[in-house]
Amino acid sequence: MPDRPRVVEVRDRARWDAAVLAAPGADLLQSWGWGAFRERVGNWRALRLAVMNGEEALAGAQVLVRPILGARFLYAPRGPWWRDEAALRILARAIRRRGFPRAPLLRADPLVTDAMPLRRLGFRPAPRQVQPRATIVVDIAREPDQILAAFDAQVRYNTRLAERKGVEVVQGGRDAVVDFWKLLAATAERKGFVEREAEYYQALADILGDDAGVFLARHDGQTVAGSIVVMFGEAAYYLYGASGGDRSVKPAELVQYRAMLWARGRGATRYDMWGIPAHPTEDNPLYGVYRYKSGFGGREITYVGSLDLPLVPVVPWAPGLVESLALKTQSLLRGQGFRIHDHLA
């Protein structure tokens, strides 16, 4: 008699990561390491649920759980993932029935382009996005010269210019985090936004280990550009970047190229540029980000975006209202005004 699918909490790292990597839409943010990282730096608790048929995982989600002012918020970054809709239905039912006290909703932003399987289960568009809806993915399974040849003419020129100008790119791990953070903090001050503390990036490097590469470009004794790139399976993710100093030597493009070669050498076949505007028109404030990332010859992908699954039988707008009030009140208590300052990510 065949096994009936059952929902289990996976407590083994290798088993969980293998299940995620075998599923369509596998992503770094569903990895065990990412959950452990967010437990350390975000006051989250990671719960890893899978619908198993024997030893085969048919669906699953890493759900991050965090209390905010008496309420409890659930977030499945880049999840759920599934191999058939029946298993997805079982997973959604289990999350609803699990009895999360004071949890108004589960927020999710799966790597899918069709929301209908989730909409049929009660998911609906969320009032706020958490992860970027769109990205650019570069094929790095090719030979290094073919990767470079796929860059647009200006990016290719800048990459070679940096090499001719003597820009040196070094790759490290935790040992390179402080230098990267100093550059990032200077970038934040220049552009007028608040940056995380260095401990955030040190925790990332500690937990992900050799899968996290910190790349620094140096010229004339100065650090002029940097990036943090993380591996998961056959994908590499450009998560964070910064620049400063003499940018006329075009170090940022060379940093990206060297990071792509590092990832390729570790078995990656694709390089995720991690976020562009979903509608990259020239009046979009992030249009410059789009222009930069689109120059590396990748493929643009737009996902469905953030979706909410209500967990309590209430009127449709109530879970979002609870979330909004909790986040605004928390910001007020921190002296940041009655506004949404802290998203779920």
Side-chain angles (χ1 to χ4, degrees), residues 168-208:
E168 177 189 19
V169 177
V170 297
Q171 182 259 317
R174 195 184 198 280
D175 57 309
V177 166
V178 171
D179 284 347
F180 172 80
W181 179 81
K182 289 177 180 177
L183 190 65
L184 190 62
T187 301
E189 183 176 0
R190 185 175 71 247
K191 296 187 176 181
F193 61 87
V194 178
E195 187 44 61
R196 298 177 175 98
E197 296 299 323
E199 289 77 12
Y200 176 91
Y201 304 97
Q202 289 170 331
L204 180 71
D206 285 344
I207 292 171
L208 299 184

